[in-house]
Amino acid sequence: KKCEVSEFLMPGMVDTHIHASQYSYSGTALDLPLLDWLNTYTFPVESRYKDLDYARNVYTKVLKRTLRNGTTTACYFATIHTDASLLLGQIADDFGQRALVGKVCMDCNSTVPYYKEPLKECKDETLRFIRELLKKESHISENKEEVKLVKQLFPDCKSYTDVYLKHDLLTDKTVMAHGCYLSDEELKIFHERGAAISHCPNSNLSLASGMLNVRNVLNHKVKLGLGTDVAGGYSPSMLDALRRAMDTSKVLSMQDAQHQTLTFEEAFRLATLGGSEALSLDDQTGNFEVGKDFDALRVNMCIPGGPVDMFPGQGPKVILEKFLNLGRILYICPVALSM
């Protein structure tokens, strides 16, 4: 029997945190906690991006892969290498993906000393990369050892958030990944400053870093999107990030009976409109509101050999304007999570 509703349109998904330079080893090297993982795997690999042929090969593949997974907008971390970072932006433009690309700044690396740059060179190269710094992205409160290290490095700061606040790095153009151990007071500062958080549940679980209480973040009215965080996260799929966000919420519910589990609709919003809000792009994308760019995915549920099966009586899930502010009805098949 032919599917009753075989195709639908949905907003393109927004990945608010992905390390394009780490894509070559995604799905592997997940046997160490964060800080050891960075020193053992990440920094040695990222040092190779001074070779533009190597950079072009990996960056081309990650752009193709994320687009195949329905990511129409992505916020990419590159490396300390300016030319390779510019190349990533050019490749994204060539493929037609809306991309925010950031050059990494790192002047301190005692474990892998060949992967860093002197402070003056870092400043000069960053200015060469972008004439005006419009958006800041970094990491915050990802795992307990990291939080402890930041406290040792900045003993005069009251919290991890206070480090960024005192250096004027927490603004309405700031996106901070993870945030697993942010206090209520820190979340209040995020709300007051208009800063956003990128929830990266796959990475949080894969590196055993922690679990973000999304419900608490939403209750504090902090802008929140989802990120794959490749390669700490093993999958470049935002659908996977959506699943892992719901899994994490259910685990928190098992630990605390009072915890309100994240719904599918809420997770879907985080992967689309929530992500565009976090990246300050919600005036351009994130839903089908009239006047925005038509970033859309056309999903065929009944294509031969497809990844899901449909059965008689399975109708679409209808999400109205009241929830997603779409300005029209959006149809989503309830089996979409099994893809």
Side-chain angles (χ1 to χ4, degrees):
K1 181 181 178 181
K2 186 177 180 180
C3 291
E4 297 176 3
V5 179
S6 62
E7 294 184 83
F8 62 90
L9 295 175
M10 60 174 276
M13 288 185 279
V14 181
D15 189 342
T16 59
H17 188 79
I18 175 171
H19 293 261
S21 53
Q22 298 173 13
Y23 179 63
S24 63
Y25 63 97
S26 57
T28 66
L30 296 174
D31 57 325
L32 296 173
L34 176 65
L35 299 184
D36 294 332
W37 178 81
L38 289 170
N39 293 326
T40 304
Y41 302 116
T42 301
F43 296 150
V45 169
E46 290 192 355
S47 70
R48 300 183 63 183
Y49 283 79
K50 60 185 176 183
D51 180 345
L52 291 182
D53 289 334
Y54 179 83
R56 184 181 300 277
N57 179 39
V58 178
Y59 287 159
T60 298
K61 289 176 179 175
V62 72
L63 260 295
K64 288 182 177 180
R65 181 60 59 188
T66 53
L67 283 168
R68 287 194 195 107
N69 279 287
T71 301
T72 57
T73 300
C75 187
Y76 290 110
F77 270 70
T79 63
I80 67 173
H81 309 99
T82 304
D83 291 333
S85 302
L86 292 169
L87 177 63
L88 173 57
Q90 183 59 58
I91 293 172
D93 186 61
D94 291 343
F95 278 104
Q97 186 183 65
R98 179 184 281 104
L100 301 176
V101 176
K103 173 193 174 298
V104 172
C105 297
M106 182 161 55
D107 66 340
C108 179
N109 191 344
S110 58
T111 306
V112 188
Y114 56 85
Y115 184 56
K116 64 180 180 180
E117 52 188 347
L119 182 57
K120 184 180 186 307
E121 180 181 332
C122 178
K123 290 181 177 179
D124 293 343
E125 288 298 293
T126 300
L127 289 174
R128 181 164 78 88
F129 179 67
I130 45 174
R131 295 172 183 265
E132 183 178 359
L133 188 59
L134 294 177
K135 181 165 287 293
K136 310 174 183 73
E137 180 166 16
S138 191
H139 306 70
I140 193 168
S141 295
E142 183 172 355
N143 86 347
K144 291 181 179 180
E145 290 302 313
E146 173 215 16
V147 175
K148 186 185 301 183
L149 177 61
V150 170
K151 183 61 178 177
Q152 293 171 355
L153 293 173
F154 300 93
D156 295 333
C157 292
K158 294 184 292 185
S159 65
Y160 204 150
T161 298
D162 196 38
V163 175
Y164 289 113
L165 188 63
K166 285 187 174 179
H167 293 86
D168 197 26
L169 293 172
L170 203 66
T171 74
D172 60 356
K173 299 293 184 182
T174 299
V175 184
M176 290 292 177
H178 305 289
C180 299
Y181 300 99
L182 293 175
S183 66
D184 286 348
E185 182 61 33
E186 288 176 285
L187 289 173
K188 181 180 178 182
I189 294 172
F190 265 74
H191 170 70
E192 292 172 347
R193 302 289 292 188
I197 293 174
S198 173
H199 178 31
C200 305
N202 188 314
S203 173
N204 291 342
L205 296 173
S206 295
L207 297 179
S209 295
M211 294 185 291
L212 177 67
N213 187 332
V214 168
R215 182 64 61 201
N216 194 38
V217 175
L218 294 176
N219 287 342
H220 280 84
K221 295 181 171 55
V222 175
K223 292 185 295 184
L224 183 67
L226 289 180
T228 60
D229 195 23
V230 167
Y234 56 76
S235 172
S237 166
M238 281 297 294
L239 186 57
D240 173 84
L242 192 157
R243 293 190 192 108
R244 300 289 85 79
M246 295 184 67
D247 289 346
T248 299
S249 183
K250 290 176 182 178
V251 171
L252 291 173
S253 294
M254 288 188 285
Q255 295 176 344
D256 179 4
Q258 301 302 314
H259 180 79
Q260 185 181 353
T261 306
L262 198 64
T263 67
F264 166 70
E265 292 85 355
E266 289 174 311
F268 181 83
R269 188 187 190 282
L270 293 180
T272 53
L273 185 59
S276 66
E277 290 173 344
L279 299 180
S280 302
L281 293 172
D282 50 305
D283 61 334
Q284 302 175 48
T285 188
N287 58 18
F288 295 148
E289 197 171 275
V290 175
K292 293 188 180 183
D293 295 339
F294 189 57
D295 284 5
L297 304 180
R298 178 185 174 187
V299 182
N300 187 341
M301 301 298 294
C302 294
I303 189 169
V308 297
D309 296 304
M310 293 289 291
F311 299 94
Q314 286 187 328
K317 174 85 174 191
V318 181
I319 299 179
L320 300 174
E321 176 183 0
K322 177 182 179 182
F323 181 76
L324 286 180
N325 297 319
L326 292 175
R328 65 192 74 182
I329 294 176
L330 172 68
Y331 292 90
I332 304 174
C333 282
V335 295
L337 278 176
S338 66
M339 288 193 292

